[in-house]
PDB file of all heavy atoms in Angstrom:
ATOM      1  N   SER K  71       3.515  63.938  14.155  1.00  0.00           N
ATOM      2  CA  SER K  71       3.601  62.537  13.723  1.00  0.00           C
ATOM      3  C   SER K  71       3.702  61.556  14.887  1.00  0.00           C
ATOM      4  O   SER K  71       3.538  60.363  14.692  1.00  0.00           O
ATOM      5  CB  SER K  71       4.807  62.352  12.800  1.00  0.00           C
ATOM      6  OG  SER K  71       6.004  62.716  13.462  1.00  0.00           O
ATOM      7  N   SER K  72       3.955  62.055  16.106  1.00  0.00           N
ATOM      8  CA  SER K  72       4.106  61.143  17.250  1.00  0.00           C
ATOM      9  C   SER K  72       2.872  61.092  18.138  1.00  0.00           C
ATOM     10  O   SER K  72       2.777  60.213  19.001  1.00  0.00           O
ATOM     11  CB  SER K  72       5.289  61.587  18.130  1.00  0.00           C
ATOM     12  OG  SER K  72       6.479  61.584  17.404  1.00  0.00           O
ATOM     13  N   LEU K  73       1.968  62.019  17.932  1.00  0.00           N
ATOM     14  CA  LEU K  73       0.886  62.210  18.890  1.00  0.00           C
ATOM     15  C   LEU K  73      -0.482  62.087  18.235  1.00  0.00           C
ATOM     16  O   LEU K  73      -0.696  62.577  17.123  1.00  0.00           O
ATOM     17  CB  LEU K  73       1.032  63.626  19.456  1.00  0.00           C
ATOM     18  CG  LEU K  73       0.587  63.890  20.890  1.00  0.00           C
ATOM     19  CD1 LEU K  73       1.279  62.965  21.848  1.00  0.00           C
ATOM     20  CD2 LEU K  73       0.902  65.333  21.243  1.00  0.00           C
ATOM     21  N   LEU K  74      -1.398  61.439  18.948  1.00  0.00           N
ATOM     22  CA  LEU K  74      -2.781  61.329  18.472  1.00  0.00           C
ATOM     23  C   LEU K  74      -3.691  61.548  19.664  1.00  0.00           C
ATOM     24  O   LEU K  74      -3.497  60.943  20.721  1.00  0.00           O
ATOM     25  CB  LEU K  74      -3.018  59.938  17.877  1.00  0.00           C
ATOM     26  CG  LEU K  74      -4.357  59.684  17.197  1.00  0.00           C
ATOM     27  CD1 LEU K  74      -4.508  60.531  15.942  1.00  0.00           C
ATOM     28  CD2 LEU K  74      -4.504  58.203  16.833  1.00  0.00           C
ATOM     29  N   ASN K  75      -4.643  62.456  19.506  1.00  0.00           N
ATOM     30  CA  ASN K  75      -5.594  62.734  20.579  1.00  0.00           C
ATOM     31  C   ASN K  75      -6.998  62.341  20.148  1.00  0.00           C
ATOM     32  O   ASN K  75      -7.318  62.323  18.951  1.00  0.00           O
ATOM     33  CB  ASN K  75      -5.581  64.229  20.922  1.00  0.00           C
ATOM     34  CG  ASN K  75      -4.248  64.686  21.458  1.00  0.00           C
ATOM     35  OD1 ASN K  75      -3.589  63.988  22.216  1.00  0.00           O
ATOM     36  ND2 ASN K  75      -3.825  65.892  21.056  1.00  0.00           N
ATOM     37  N   LEU K  76      -7.835  62.048  21.134  1.00  0.00           N
ATOM     38  CA  LEU K  76      -9.258  61.844  20.869  1.00  0.00           C
ATOM     39  C   LEU K  76     -10.012  62.696  21.874  1.00  0.00           C
ATOM     40  O   LEU K  76      -9.972  62.440  23.083  1.00  0.00           O
ATOM     41  CB  LEU K  76      -9.636  60.368  21.009  1.00  0.00           C
ATOM     42  CG  LEU K  76     -11.075  60.021  20.617  1.00  0.00           C
ATOM     43  CD1 LEU K  76     -11.325  60.315  19.132  1.00  0.00           C
ATOM     44  CD2 LEU K  76     -11.371  58.545  20.906  1.00  0.00           C
ATOM     45  N   HIS K  77     -10.654  63.765  21.375  1.00  0.00           N
ATOM     46  CA  HIS K  77     -11.396  64.685  22.228  1.00  0.00           C
ATOM     47  C   HIS K  77     -12.830  64.190  22.359  1.00  0.00           C
ATOM     48  O   HIS K  77     -13.471  63.818  21.370  1.00  0.00           O
ATOM     49  CB  HIS K  77     -11.353  66.097  21.643  1.00  0.00           C
ATOM     50  CG  HIS K  77      -9.956  66.609  21.445  1.00  0.00           C
ATOM     51  ND1 HIS K  77      -9.080  66.809  22.494  1.00  0.00           N
ATOM     52  CD2 HIS K  77      -9.285  66.937  20.313  1.00  0.00           C
ATOM     53  CE1 HIS K  77      -7.933  67.257  22.019  1.00  0.00           C
ATOM     54  NE2 HIS K  77      -8.029  67.333  20.702  1.00  0.00           N
ATOM     55  N   LEU K  78     -13.306  64.197  23.605  1.00  0.00           N
ATOM     56  CA  LEU K  78     -14.617  63.631  23.921  1.00  0.00           C
ATOM     57  C   LEU K  78     -15.514  64.717  24.487  1.00  0.00           C
ATOM     58  O   LEU K  78     -15.088  65.475  25.384  1.00  0.00           O
ATOM     59  CB  LEU K  78     -14.459  62.518  24.958  1.00  0.00           C
ATOM     60  CG  LEU K  78     -13.342  61.495  24.710  1.00  0.00           C
ATOM     61  CD1 LEU K  78     -13.183  60.582  25.918  1.00  0.00           C
ATOM     62  CD2 LEU K  78     -13.619  60.709  23.444  1.00  0.00           C
ATOM     63  N   HIS K  79     -16.727  64.793  24.000  1.00  0.00           N
ATOM     64  CA  HIS K  79     -17.654  65.827  24.479  1.00  0.00           C
ATOM     65  C   HIS K  79     -19.081  65.317  24.377  1.00  0.00           C
ATOM     66  O   HIS K  79     -19.482  64.789  23.345  1.00  0.00           O
ATOM     67  CB  HIS K  79     -17.478  67.100  23.639  1.00  0.00           C
ATOM     68  CG  HIS K  79     -18.507  68.143  23.938  1.00  0.00           C
ATOM     69  ND1 HIS K  79     -18.732  68.632  25.203  1.00  0.00           N
ATOM     70  CD2 HIS K  79     -19.390  68.780  23.141  1.00  0.00           C
ATOM     71  CE1 HIS K  79     -19.692  69.533  25.158  1.00  0.00           C
ATOM     72  NE2 HIS K  79     -20.116  69.646  23.936  1.00  0.00           N
ATOM     73  N   ALA K  80     -19.825  65.479  25.465  1.00  0.00           N
ATOM     74  CA  ALA K  80     -21.247  65.102  25.487  1.00  0.00           C
ATOM     75  C   ALA K  80     -21.444  63.633  25.147  1.00  0.00           C
ATOM     76  O   ALA K  80     -22.295  63.272  24.316  1.00  0.00           O
ATOM     77  CB  ALA K  80     -22.054  65.994  24.532  1.00  0.00           C
ATOM     78  N   LEU K  81     -20.646  62.781  25.773  1.00  0.00           N
ATOM     79  CA  LEU K  81     -20.755  61.347  25.493  1.00  0.00           C
ATOM     80  C   LEU K  81     -21.981  60.749  26.176  1.00  0.00           C
ATOM     81  O   LEU K  81     -22.552  61.332  27.104  1.00  0.00           O
ATOM     82  CB  LEU K  81     -19.502  60.624  25.964  1.00  0.00           C
ATOM     83  CG  LEU K  81     -18.204  60.956  25.227  1.00  0.00           C
ATOM     84  CD1 LEU K  81     -17.140  59.929  25.567  1.00  0.00           C
ATOM     85  CD2 LEU K  81     -18.395  61.019  23.730  1.00  0.00           C
ATOM     86  N   GLN K  82     -22.361  59.571  25.716  1.00  0.00           N
ATOM     87  CA  GLN K  82     -23.479  58.832  26.255  1.00  0.00           C
ATOM     88  C   GLN K  82     -22.966  57.611  27.024  1.00  0.00           C
ATOM     89  O   GLN K  82     -21.856  57.138  26.755  1.00  0.00           O
ATOM     90  CB  GLN K  82     -24.384  58.351  25.104  1.00  0.00           C
ATOM     91  CG  GLN K  82     -24.883  59.472  24.210  1.00  0.00           C
ATOM     92  CD  GLN K  82     -25.782  60.427  24.975  1.00  0.00           C
ATOM     93  OE1 GLN K  82     -26.703  60.003  25.667  1.00  0.00           O
ATOM     94  NE2 GLN K  82     -25.502  61.721  24.865  1.00  0.00           N
ATOM     95  N   PRO K  83     -23.747  57.080  27.943  1.00  0.00           N
ATOM     96  CA  PRO K  83     -23.293  55.882  28.677  1.00  0.00           C
ATOM     97  C   PRO K  83     -22.897  54.730  27.755  1.00  0.00           C
ATOM     98  O   PRO K  83     -21.973  53.979  28.076  1.00  0.00           O
ATOM     99  CB  PRO K  83     -24.513  55.527  29.540  1.00  0.00           C
ATOM    100  CG  PRO K  83     -25.189  56.834  29.779  1.00  0.00           C
ATOM    101  CD  PRO K  83     -25.007  57.614  28.499  1.00  0.00           C
TER     102      PRO K  83
END
Side-chain angles (χ1 to χ4, degrees):
Chain K
S71 59
S72 300
L73 211 56
L74 186 66
N75 297 321
L76 186 63
H77 303 297
L78 314 172
H79 172 55
L81 294 194
Q82 304 296 311

